[in-house]
């Protein structure tokens, strides 16, 4: 009988207040019974609902223009076509369904870019569960369309005003709610972070991405891809795209992080102008798990930065931290400007407007194989990029950030003047 993963090397664990341990133990047992061992046909129902409600499988599309530009065959795993516009529905639907099997009466969640909040609100509406979403005030202002979508689906959206008003603060506030209401409430964590069993459980719901990539690659390529690339904030789409390839050493795995404006740290201001925890982080504990974190010299958690709110987080999932230490996953930092250029490039070259998070993965391809690339990575013949989400939610932010810069491939903004 399958048992839950609670540690990944030195990372993971359950660093939570005593008041939360009963809920953690209850969830761990439910995860073991229903997800890992399919008790009462839980996973059968999940696969049926993610197919009929979510629209799986998502396509694996050949990108003609990008392939010509980079001299390798580039394929796009179109998670942006999943219901709601991002990979987030896989985990949200799975956890809300699990909450119903557990007899819970209420759903709470945190969100940064708003895609997880949107997916959770949709899943809760689909399964007739009341839902409250915590979201940092700064992210609410950056992601108004997604906030409105959550409200349309009947969810209550609660602003978090402490700190910088981003994902880290939203997670902290949601955990406080959960500690007060554990008997009736399930907390749908949106990434592979938090105390066990969340990192493993979220990975398992998202593993359907890599399961499909494997099957589709064999059909289209006659074998497995040479590399899989995914953007990495907390790491849910990353582990979803990597999970089924961890034992395939011939498949390289690249995690594209938010390099922001610089990989330096401003200790006096308490801010890291990036979110590259895998590349620059140090071991510590955040939100119930030991993992790689952005910290100052005294071990205090640094505020992070990214042009994309979904990557704006001071830590990363413990399994990804372990896989980087083991050399199985290679982290690559992509700065704001490269990500914005990639946002416009994919839109113009392939007719796909990506989420700003996703754009970091394409910024990595440009940085190593584009006309001005540094050639630091010799890409294999076939590369699959996980298009984790669509860019509708980011249009206001993209306009604002583009206006601040001179980007050769961006549309001009004079149409907005006057």
């Amino acid at each position: 009988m399958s048992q839950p993963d609670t540690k990944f090397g030195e990372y993971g664990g359950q660093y939570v207040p005593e008041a939360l341990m009963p809920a953690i133990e209850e969830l761990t047992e439910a995860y073991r019974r229903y997800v890992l061992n399919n008790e009462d046909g839980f996973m059968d129902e999940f696969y049926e609902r993610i197919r009929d409600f979510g629209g799986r499988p998502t396509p694996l599309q050949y990108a003609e223009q990008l392939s010509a530009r980079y001299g390798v065959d580039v394929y796009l795993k179109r998670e942006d076509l999943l219901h709601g516009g991002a990979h987030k529905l896989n985990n949200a639907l799975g956890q809300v369904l699990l909450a119903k099997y557990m007899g819970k009466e209420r759903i709470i969640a945190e969100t940064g870019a708003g895609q997880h909040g949107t997916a959770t609100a949709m899943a809760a509406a689909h399964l007739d569960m009341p839902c409250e979403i915590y979201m940092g005030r700064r992210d609410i202002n950056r992601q108004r369309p997604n906030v409105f979508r959550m409200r349309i689906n009947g969810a209550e959206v609660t602003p978090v005003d402490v700190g910088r008003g981003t994902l880290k603060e939203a997670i902290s506030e949601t955990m406080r709610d959960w500690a007060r209401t554990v008997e009736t409430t399930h907390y749908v964590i949106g990434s592979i972070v938090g105390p066990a069993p969340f990192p493993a459980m979220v990975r398992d719901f998202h593993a359907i991405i890599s399961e499909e990539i494997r099957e589709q690659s064999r059909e289209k390529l006659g074998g497995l891809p040479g590399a899989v690339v995914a953007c990495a904030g907390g790491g849910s789409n990353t582990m979803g795209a990597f999970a089924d390839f961890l034992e395939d050493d011939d498949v390289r795995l690249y995690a594209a992080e938010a390099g922001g404006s610089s990989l330096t740290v401003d200790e006096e201001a308490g801010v890291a102008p990036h979110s590259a925890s895998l590349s620059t982080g140090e071991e510590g504990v955040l939100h119930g798990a030991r993992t790689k974190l952005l910290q100052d010299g005294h071990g205090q958690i640094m505020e992070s930065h990214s042009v994309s709110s979904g990557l704006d987080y001071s830590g990363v999932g413990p399994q990804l931290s372990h896989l980087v230490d083991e050399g199985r996953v290679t982290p690559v930092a992509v700065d704001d400007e490269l990500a914005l250029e990639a946002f416009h490039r994919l839109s113009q070259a392939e007719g796909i407007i990506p989420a700003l998070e996703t754009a970091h993965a394409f910024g990595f391809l440009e940085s190593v194989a584009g006309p001005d690339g540094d050639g630091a990575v010799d890409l294999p013949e076939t590369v699959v990029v996980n298009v984790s989400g669509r860019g509708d939610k980011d249009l206001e932010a993209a306009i604002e950030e583009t206006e601040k810069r001179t980007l050769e491939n961006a549309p001009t903004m004079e149409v907005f003047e006057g």
Side-chain angles (χ1 to χ4, degrees):
M1 183 173 288
S2 298
Q3 297 295 329
D5 292 328
T6 58
K7 294 290 290 293
F8 306 95
E10 297 299 313
Y11 303 104
Q14 298 170 328
Y15 298 84
V16 297
E18 192 64 31
L20 280 180
M21 280 310 298
I24 291 291
E25 291 168 357
E26 179 188 22
L27 179 61
T28 301
E29 178 62 10
Y31 166 55
R32 182 191 67 79
R33 290 169 54 197
Y34 296 120
V35 180
L36 296 182
N37 296 297
N38 196 30
E39 188 171 312
D40 296 337
F42 172 84
M43 288 302 292
D44 299 330
E45 182 175 353
F46 167 71
Y47 282 122
E48 180 180 357
R49 288 183 181 272
I50 199 63
R51 181 190 69 220
D52 296 344
F53 178 64
R56 300 211 74 93
T58 59
L60 185 68
Q61 175 196 338
Y62 180 63
E64 295 180 20
Q65 276 64 247
L66 293 187
S67 296
R69 182 177 183 87
Y70 301 132
V72 299
D73 288 331
V74 178
Y75 287 83
L76 313 178
K77 181 55 174 167
R78 298 293 306 279
E79 290 300 288
D80 59 311
L81 296 180
L82 191 65
H83 180 44
H87 71 289
K88 291 293 187 181
L89 184 65
N90 301 315
N91 169 60
L93 181 63
Q95 284 203 54
V96 176
L97 183 63
L98 184 63
K100 284 193 78 88
Y101 273 64
M102 294 170 65
K104 299 299 181 181
E105 301 171 1
R106 172 176 175 258
I107 295 296
I108 58 174
E110 90 297 324
T111 195
Q115 285 299 132
H116 171 60
T118 297
T120 304
M122 291 191 307
H126 176 61
L127 292 166
D128 193 27
M129 294 277 279
C131 177
E132 181 173 358
I133 309 292
Y134 288 90
M135 190 172 188
R137 178 73 70 179
R138 183 164 179 258
D139 286 339
I140 286 176
N141 293 333
R142 291 198 287 181
Q143 298 292 343
R144 292 190 300 168
N146 270 345
V147 175
F148 191 54
R149 288 208 291 171
M150 292 178 234
R151 298 295 301 275
I152 288 173
N153 284 128
E156 180 180 348
V157 179
T158 300
V160 178
D161 291 305
V162 297
R164 291 181 67 243
T166 57
L167 182 60
K168 180 169 72 72
E169 292 81 20
I171 291 176
S172 297
E173 196 60 37
T174 315
M175 283 193 163
R176 292 188 188 98
D177 183 320
W178 197 29
R180 295 190 303 266
T181 61
V182 290
E183 292 186 3
T184 59
T185 299
H186 175 63
Y187 174 15
V188 180
I189 285 185
S191 196
I192 56 163
V193 300
F198 282 108
M201 181 172 64
V202 175
R203 173 203 66 202
D204 289 350
F205 285 131
H206 281 306
I208 194 170
I209 301 171
S210 53
E211 291 165 6
E212 288 180 6
I213 293 174
R214 175 181 288 273
E215 182 178 342
Q216 292 165 330
S217 294
R218 284 177 168 160
E219 177 184 330
K220 288 178 175 285
L221 314 178
L224 300 183
V228 179
V229 183
C231 64
S236 60
N237 98 90
T238 326
M239 280 309 306
F242 293 173
D244 209 48
F245 297 107
L246 294 181
E247 303 303 318
D248 298 296
D249 293 338
D250 290 340
V251 180
R252 301 186 221 163
L253 305 175
Y254 293 101
E257 300 189 281
S261 58
S262 168
L263 292 182
T264 59
V265 169
D266 186 343
E267 293 211 8
E268 185 174 339
V271 175
H274 62 85
S275 301
S277 302
L278 289 173
S279 301
T280 69
E282 298 178 353
E283 189 175 333
V285 174
L286 177 64
H287 296 137
R290 181 170 294 279
T291 188
K292 289 181 182 289
L293 307 173
L294 302 179
Q295 304 174 67
D296 64 17
H298 304 287
Q300 297 299 306
I301 306 300
M302 304 285 287
E303 298 292 347
S304 60
H305 160 78
S306 172
V307 70
S308 57
S309 52
L311 301 186
D312 198 348
Y313 183 55
S314 302
V316 68
Q319 187 171 12
L320 272 177
S321 295
H322 174 64
L323 290 169
V324 167
D325 281 359
E326 292 291 298
R328 182 65 189 96
V329 169
T330 303
V332 289
V334 176
D335 65 31
D336 287 346
E337 192 142 320
L338 261 175
L340 280 164
E341 289 174 349
F343 173 88
H344 293 293
R345 184 173 296 107
L346 186 65
S347 303
Q348 295 160 7
E350 301 291 348
I352 298 168
I353 303 174
L356 282 173
E357 293 80 11
T358 301
H360 286 72
F362 292 96
F364 162 65
L365 293 188
E366 182 70 16
S367 71
V368 298
D372 297 320
D374 58 18
V377 174
D378 185 16
L379 294 175
E381 292 182 2
T382 57
V383 176
V384 171
V385 182
N386 193 36
V387 185
S388 58
R390 69 185 186 216
D392 307 47
K393 69 181 179 62
D394 289 320
L395 293 181
E396 289 186 20
I399 291 170
E400 179 183 339
E401 294 293 339
T402 298
E403 285 180 324
K404 296 177 183 177
R405 297 169 171 84
T406 301
L407 304 176
E408 290 184 5
N409 66 338
T412 57
M413 295 288 139
E414 71 272 7
V415 68
F416 296 111
E417 296 174 3

